[in-house]
Amino acid sequence: MTRVLVVDDEPQIVRALVINLRARAYEVDSAPDGATALALAAQRQPDVVVLDLGLPDMDGVEVIRGLRGWTRVPILVLSARQTSDEKVGALDAGADDYVTKPFGMDELLARLRAAVRRAEPVRGDAEVVVVETDDFTVDLAAKKVHRGGRDVRLTPTEWHLLEVLVRDAGRLVSQKRLLQEVWGPSYGTETNYLRVYMAQLRRKLEADPSHPRHFITEPGMGYRFER
């Protein structure tokens, strides 16, 4: 059973989410502030976090950074903040998706399901596929990346984006296809998501992120992975 941690200080929103999630067989914990959320996450080990940014004790971005210090759990931001800079700030801190208030429950639940799917391990006897570059190695079956003899910690969304690009090595992958494969079929124009996550992949994997060798931007079209 999937466990969800809902972090929001608005009781009516928490109540609506808890009722809808439990009706769909999710286990649900809730926290009214950031400190409680971080403690509950460590104690209860949720499978996905739904997080408001406007918390009474700390900014939600601080909660994201606190979680990303030790866990790859998918984080779905739910916030009334709607500016592009605020969305990019949350994604850059490690959030996997961003839903603005007021929101439709069906859309939120669809995005939550997509976030959980991205984090699921490969089941069954997956074919071992290892892609090597001069700077790092990608093990597609194990969902691991090694650089300099050490594992590189990627979030589920970072991994999914990397996987799509690596499986089409040498080919241009359009912005629309990346958005729809990684975030879901209702996406297609949120190119700021791609800019943020490509920057994160370059920072973690490229020898010189400002002059990438492996993650190439084709302006206005998409991205290409080169070994």
Side-chain angles (χ1 to χ4, degrees):
M1 188 176 290
T2 301
R3 181 178 294 278
V4 183
L5 173 59
V6 176
V7 187
D8 201 305
D9 64 339
E10 296 184 55
Q12 65 273 26
I13 288 181
V14 173
R15 186 163 53 250
L17 286 170
V18 169
I19 290 171
N20 278 275
L21 288 166
R22 287 181 176 163
R24 291 162 175 81
Y26 291 95
E27 292 185 358
V28 188
D29 298 309
S30 63
D33 54 57
T36 305
L38 291 171
L40 268 178
Q43 177 186 353
R44 304 285 281 174
Q45 301 286 312
D47 298 296
V48 60
V49 175
V50 178
L51 172 69
D52 181 29
L53 295 183
L55 300 173
D57 60 337
M58 67 177 74
D59 193 270
V61 172
E62 295 180 54
V63 178
I64 297 171
R65 293 194 181 109
L67 291 170
R68 283 290 171 254
W70 62 274
T71 179
R72 296 176 58 202
V73 63
I75 301 172
L76 176 61
V77 168
L78 182 63
S79 178
R81 302 177 188 176
Q82 300 186 19
T83 70
S84 178
D85 287 348
E86 287 166 326
K87 291 181 181 181
V88 169
L91 294 170
D92 201 25
D96 294 276
D97 202 353
Y98 196 109
V99 177
T100 54
K101 296 178 181 178
F103 61 92
M105 188 62 69
D106 287 344
E107 179 191 3
L108 177 66
L109 293 171
R111 293 193 183 202
L112 186 144
R113 290 192 297 270
V116 172
R117 282 197 302 271
R118 289 196 294 272
E120 288 176 347
V122 176
R123 302 188 185 279
D125 297 323
E127 179 186 358
V128 177
V129 179
V130 177
V131 177
E132 296 185 1
T133 75
D134 292 339
D135 299 305
F136 57 88
T137 301
V138 181
D139 187 332
L140 291 167
K143 288 196 170 185
K144 290 185 176 181
V145 183
H146 305 279
R147 182 183 180 191
R150 303 177 64 179
D151 285 347
V152 178
R153 177 182 281 176
L154 299 180
T155 69
T157 302
E158 289 168 353
W159 169 262
H160 201 168
L161 181 59
L162 173 66
E163 183 179 33
V164 173
L165 289 167
V166 166
R167 288 190 183 278
D168 267 339
R171 299 189 185 96
L172 173 68
V173 183
S174 71
Q175 294 176 340
K176 183 175 181 180
R177 180 186 158 200
L178 282 170
L179 285 165
Q180 292 182 341
E181 288 207 26
V182 177
W183 282 273
S186 62
Y187 294 76
T189 61
E190 294 84 351
T191 55
N192 57 326
Y193 282 33
L194 293 176
R195 287 194 296 272
V196 169
Y197 277 94
M198 289 303 299
Q200 291 172 186
L201 283 179
R202 286 166 176 155
R203 186 174 67 246
K204 291 182 178 183
L205 299 178
E206 293 275 8
D208 182 358
S210 61
H211 298 90
R213 292 180 52 201
H214 306 291
F215 301 101
I216 310 301
T217 301
E218 298 290 352
M221 295 187 293
Y223 298 88
R224 188 177 70 256
F225 172 76
E226 296 287 359
R227 298 189 189 191

